Amino acid sequence: MWFRILLFAFLGFVFGGPFGAVIGALIAAWLSSQQPRIVYGAGQSGERRRQTQTAFFRATFLVMGKLAKADGRVNEEEIQVATTLMNEMRLSPDQRQQAIDLFNQGKTPGCDIRGVLLEFRRAAGSGSLIQMFMELQLQAAYADGQLSQAEMQVLHEACEYLGVNRFTFEILHQRFQAQRAFYSRYNGGGYQQQGNYGYRQPVDNRSKLKEAYATLGVSPDASDKDVKRAYRKLMSEHHPDKLVAKGLPEEMMEMAKKKTQEIQAAYDLIQEERKRK
């Protein structure tokens, strides 16, 4: 805005002297005031947003069910991920039953996820909502600590219907793995949990810092400017209000908030380390 005002004021001065500069500045200010303001709630109309929220909800639990059954047996960890998600969303009894029904439907042999994902894609468009969806599915796929080939096939199938190419998925996957390592293995003040007896051993701070960089999707030798750009991009993509405005179910807002807290933690660690140098 200020650049435009100064530019118009300068041009006005060139062609009309001091009076022209004033007129130019006033015109620039008026033009800026006419531009549509960007507000988080302006992503979609109320009805369209509700449709997107419904599509997101249905796709989330249906695909989670298919992932859980992909390698043959639904284990306790996979059920716990879906249950935790339902708890964090604070679903009403009716919504919770819908989620359970969708999850069970996804577990049925030969369940076709194409229709529900194409519906979600049409409602969501592209970008941050679909990215958030894939992050949730990766979380479900890694519930038992590893990603099987059968689960990978389901994720690739989901990407195909959602218009996510393999290269984009691999970047998302790698960043998810880094985030998972940073916030799971290195949780608890720089110590790593071992076994079932509560034994903890120190974690190499260099490894922790490496995971923090990977969380932001930048290399350790990236410039301060590039680190900040990556951080701001991720924070913008996961901003709870922006995601809800685009159609993220409001019940999932807490999950989006946690995601931004995780991104913030990685950025803060990098900044602290760079200040020491």
Side-chain angles (χ1 to χ4, degrees):
M1 175 181 175
W2 288 109
F3 176 79
R4 174 182 288 181
I5 290 175
L6 290 173
L7 176 62
F8 274 63
F10 173 76
L11 293 175
F13 180 83
V14 170
F15 293 102
F19 181 76
V22 172
I23 297 298
L26 290 174
I27 291 174
W30 179 82
L31 287 173
S32 296
S33 69
Q34 300 306 303
Q35 291 181 332
R37 296 182 178 180
I38 300 175
V39 295
Y40 296 144
Q44 293 183 338
S45 65
E47 180 59 30
R48 175 67 183 277
R49 188 158 59 248
R50 283 189 292 273
Q51 292 174 356
T52 304
Q53 289 172 338
T54 299
F56 195 114
F57 182 92
R58 294 185 65 237
T60 294
F61 290 103
L62 187 73
V63 176
M64 274 191 178
K66 190 172 182 69
L67 277 169
K69 190 66 174 178
D71 46 12
R73 187 181 70 86
V74 181
N75 59 43
E76 291 299 322
E77 290 87 354
E78 291 165 331
I79 294 174
Q80 186 58 46
V81 167
T83 302
T84 299
L85 177 56
M86 294 178 200
N87 291 339
E88 289 183 352
M89 291 176 69
R90 298 174 185 173
L91 301 178
S92 68
D94 287 344
Q95 289 174 318
R96 191 179 186 89
Q97 188 57 55
Q98 290 174 19
I100 293 172
D101 291 344
L102 287 163
F103 186 82
N104 289 334
Q105 181 183 341
K107 292 191 301 179
T108 57
C111 174
D112 185 6
I113 59 175
R114 180 177 183 274
V116 73
L117 287 177
L118 290 179
E119 179 185 353
F120 173 49
R121 181 181 178 180
R122 284 192 296 268
S126 61
S128 52
L129 266 190
I130 289 179
Q131 176 178 314
M132 184 74 176
F133 173 83
M134 291 306 303
E135 288 172 354
L136 285 172
Q137 300 308 322
L138 281 165
Q139 183 177 335
Y142 275 97
D144 58 358
Q146 58 187 354
L147 181 65
S148 70
Q149 186 59 40
E151 289 168 331
M152 180 64 86
Q153 288 177 356
V154 173
L155 292 172
H156 283 164
E157 183 182 0
C159 286
E160 179 184 349
Y161 298 140
L162 293 174
V164 179
N165 62 51
R166 291 292 178 89
F167 179 74
T168 300
F169 173 73
E170 282 307 314
I171 292 176
L172 183 63
H173 185 197
Q174 290 172 15
R175 194 170 69 203
F176 173 84
Q177 289 177 305
Q179 291 170 345
R180 181 171 174 268
F182 184 74
Y183 302 113
S184 297
R185 291 188 300 159
Y186 303 131
N187 188 30
Y191 284 82
Q192 180 176 355
Q193 192 77 24
Q194 294 290 334
N196 298 320
Y197 300 98
Y199 173 71
R200 299 163 75 86
Q201 68 179 24
V203 172
D204 185 352
N205 285 333
R206 288 175 299 179
S207 297
K208 186 175 181 180
L209 186 63
K210 181 180 178 181
E211 299 294 352
Y213 278 109
T215 293
L216 298 187
V218 295
S219 63
D221 59 355
S223 66
D224 290 345
K225 184 177 180 180
D226 287 340
V227 170
K228 181 174 287 188
R229 183 186 296 115
Y231 158 73
R232 287 178 173 174
K233 181 176 184 292
L234 285 176
M235 290 293 280
S236 176
E237 290 172 348
H238 293 86
H239 194 292
D241 291 332
K242 288 184 178 180
L243 288 171
V244 169
K246 291 178 179 180
L248 180 75
E250 293 185 7
E251 295 85 358
M252 290 186 179
M253 181 179 280
E254 284 303 314
M255 298 188 65
K257 287 180 180 178
K258 288 182 180 179
K259 199 72 176 179
T260 58
Q261 290 169 359
E262 293 172 354
I263 295 167
Q264 186 68 56
Y267 180 70
D268 289 345
L269 178 64
I270 293 170
Q271 291 297 97
E272 290 172 9
E273 180 63 24
R274 292 193 169 204
K275 286 178 182 178
R276 296 193 187 103
K277 294 181 178 180

